[in-house]
Amino acid sequence: MKKIISVFVSAIVLFSFGSCSDSDSEKDASDMDISSSSVDSEEKSDEDEEDSQKSVQSESLEILNNIEVYVLDCSVLPIEETMIDQGTGIWEDDIAGFDKGTIVTLFIDYGKHSYSLEDRLITTTDGQELLQTSYDTMWSDSDEDGSVWIVERIRIPGEYDIADLEFKLIYDDDYDTTVSKPLSNTMTFEELSEKCYWQEDVNPNWEDAEEAEMYNPIHRTYIYKIKGRYCMVDNAFGDSSGSKSSSDGTKIEYGGIDFEIIPLEGSIGSFIEEADIQVESGNTETYMWSEFHEYENRKTNDFIDVRICCKVSDADWYVNWDSLTEEERQLKSSVDDLIAKYFRYEARETFLLLPDGEGGTTRIECVCR
């Protein structure tokens, strides 16, 4: 009897061991499947990341290679005339010991590609990075076809020849997408004036409709020659506005147009004197004229404020506004809206006059973008 029980127990023990052995085998096989799947997934992830990186590299390098860079001017000047220390993060101590500075003026044509770059900078042809800034001397815009351009004056401490420099475009350092371009292509300022412009809509219905039925654009350049140097002239509605009384007691409303003027060749900084400035208004309406109001020097540019004025205290549409018909109000909802319309038309007849440096006069319309 004991023998039979012993055999039975042995059988149970053997069965138990057999069951454990089968379970462990299944677990081991399962672990192997999971491990294999994990390896495959990691390999696939690595491949996807590599493919993504190659795609980013290919697309971004194509963009960088299609960007065109032209040299407009390269000037070596006394360091103080470069205004290098008027840039963010650059101080007098950074340029101590430099007697000369180099300003490179570039036109950068991005075409219709995105121009969101990680960085762009001038280096030497052997790849040496240089201290530089274009703070307050960089302008960008896009044309009606979507082409994007930048004009940039890059200031560098030290004396350099343009042949020893190149322009480095960095899309993303992590993806090693960097292109260096030689600074061998040139462009004249006359050619630049054809490329750098904004468009004013002179449709007469523009003021009275949310969307004009016709679009009648006129090119307005940013490039003007003033006192012998080509300049970037950027203008916009100024902060100066309000009302005052003239010498005869007439009340006038006024709105300012600000002109920011920075030379694109030679030194940076103020070079216009108040005696150089005149304002011309061709409007024959007796209640409207323009006047030069204020002149202020700034460190990297000249700043001129021309005020467009509208005589209102003896104008019927101003005095009797509440009793005017919609037609007499010219579809405007308030006196201020109608004054703004008159300002706009008066601006087209008003010019900022500055000497061109060759015996003539540069006339800049007082319309603004």
Side-chain angles (χ1 to χ4, degrees):
M1 184 68 178
K2 287 181 180 181
K3 185 177 180 181
I4 293 174
I5 292 173
S6 177
V7 171
F8 180 69
V9 171
S10 297
I12 292 175
V13 171
L14 287 171
F15 179 80
S16 298
F17 274 104
S19 296
C20 288
S21 178
D22 289 344
S23 176
D24 287 346
S25 297
E26 290 175 6
K27 185 173 184 300
D28 290 343
S30 176
D31 288 344
M32 288 176 65
D33 290 343
I34 292 172
S35 177
S36 175
S37 174
S38 177
V39 170
D40 291 343
S41 177
E42 287 177 5
E43 288 179 353
K44 183 171 179 23
S45 177
D46 290 343
E47 289 174 2
D48 289 345
E49 185 176 348
E50 187 176 343
D51 289 342
S52 175
Q53 182 170 337
K54 286 180 179 178
S55 176
V56 170
Q57 285 176 325
S58 176
E59 292 176 8
S60 56
L61 285 174
E62 181 182 0
I63 290 174
L64 296 183
N65 284 321
N66 285 329
I67 294 173
E68 297 179 344
V69 181
Y70 300 90
V71 178
L72 293 159
D73 180 66
C74 181
S75 298
V76 175
L77 303 159
I79 191 71
E80 62 272 12
E81 294 185 21
T82 62
M83 300 290 177
I84 292 173
D85 58 331
Q86 300 299 317
T88 302
I90 297 179
W91 313 100
E92 287 185 15
D93 290 347
D94 297 320
I95 58 174
F98 288 99
D99 296 325
K100 300 284 187 180
T102 303
I103 307 178
V104 180
T105 308
L106 301 177
F107 174 76
I108 308 164
D109 186 355
Y110 286 91
K112 295 182 182 180
H113 295 288
S114 168
Y115 65 101
S116 178
L117 301 179
E118 186 172 289
D119 204 357
R120 61 178 187 273
L121 65 158
I122 286 180
T123 68
T124 60
T125 50
D126 59 4
Q128 177 189 353
E129 292 191 6
L130 305 170
L131 181 67
Q132 59 197 270
T133 182
S134 57
Y135 180 75
D136 259 359
T137 53
M138 189 274 285
W139 307 264
S140 65
D141 209 338
S142 59
D143 300 334
E144 70 273 13
D145 65 354
S147 297
V148 176
W149 56 260
I150 283 179
V151 174
E152 188 167 19
R153 298 207 78 187
I154 302 174
R155 292 112 72 192
I156 307 166
E159 185 173 353
Y160 294 92
D161 188 278
I162 195 67
D164 298 325
L165 302 173
E166 59 186 17
F167 197 55
K168 186 177 182 181
L169 297 164
I170 302 172
Y171 187 88
D172 191 329
D173 253 347
D174 292 339
Y175 287 95
D176 191 28
T177 48
T178 298
V179 169
S180 290
K181 294 178 175 284
L183 295 175
S184 53
N185 294 331
T186 60
M187 179 181 290
T188 67
F189 287 105
E190 289 81 2
E191 292 170 329
L192 178 67
S193 68
E194 297 296 320
K195 292 180 175 290
C196 293
Y197 61 85
W198 59 280
Q199 295 192 99
E200 183 201 6
D201 180 9
V202 295
N203 176 9
N205 299 317
W206 181 88
E207 292 88 352
D208 303 319
E210 291 184 5
E211 294 183 7
E213 295 179 1
M214 299 179 296
Y215 185 60
N216 184 26
I218 291 181
H219 285 195
R220 305 293 190 196
T221 186
Y222 290 99
I223 311 301
Y224 295 88
K225 195 166 192 178
I226 301 171
K227 299 186 74 172
R229 290 195 277 173
Y230 283 98
C231 299
M232 174 66 71
V233 180
D234 199 2
N235 58 317
F237 283 117
D239 294 331
S240 58
S241 62
S243 62
K244 64 177 183 178
S245 296
S246 63
S247 57
D248 62 0
T250 302
K251 181 182 178 182
I252 64 173
E253 299 286 334
Y254 62 84
I257 295 180
D258 292 343
F259 292 87
E260 183 181 20
I261 302 172
I262 300 180
L264 295 179
E265 51 185 336
S267 63
I268 287 177
S270 180
F271 73 109
I272 297 173
E273 299 175 2
E274 190 165 359
D276 297 324
I277 301 167
Q278 296 180 22
V279 174
E280 172 190 292
S281 178
N283 197 305
T284 57
E285 296 288 347
T286 57
Y287 58 84
M288 302 182 70
W289 70 95
S290 299
E291 62 181 7
F292 170 73
H293 175 76
E294 182 181 356
Y295 175 77
E296 177 186 347
N297 286 334
R298 292 185 177 178
K299 290 186 176 180
T300 58
N301 67 307
D302 278 307
F303 179 84
I304 300 171
D305 177 25
V306 176
R307 295 194 175 181
I308 309 299
C309 299
C310 179
K311 184 176 178 181
V312 295
S313 61
D314 58 351
D316 289 342
W317 54 265
Y318 181 84
V319 177
N320 302 313
W321 180 261
D322 291 338
S323 61
L324 297 183
T325 64
E326 286 297 317
E327 183 178 0
E328 289 171 327
R329 291 182 180 184
Q330 302 186 48
L331 303 179
K332 295 301 180 182
S333 60
S334 70
V335 169
D336 289 340
D337 286 346
L338 186 53
I339 290 173
K341 176 176 180 175
Y342 284 135
F343 283 157
R344 186 169 182 265
Y345 283 113
E346 172 68 356
R348 292 203 193 112
E349 300 295 326
T350 305
F351 296 86
L352 173 63
L353 307 181
L354 295 165
D356 63 10
E358 299 174 352
T361 300
T362 294
R363 303 171 81 246
I364 306 172
E365 275 186 301
C366 289
V367 293
C368 59
R369 63 192 180 97

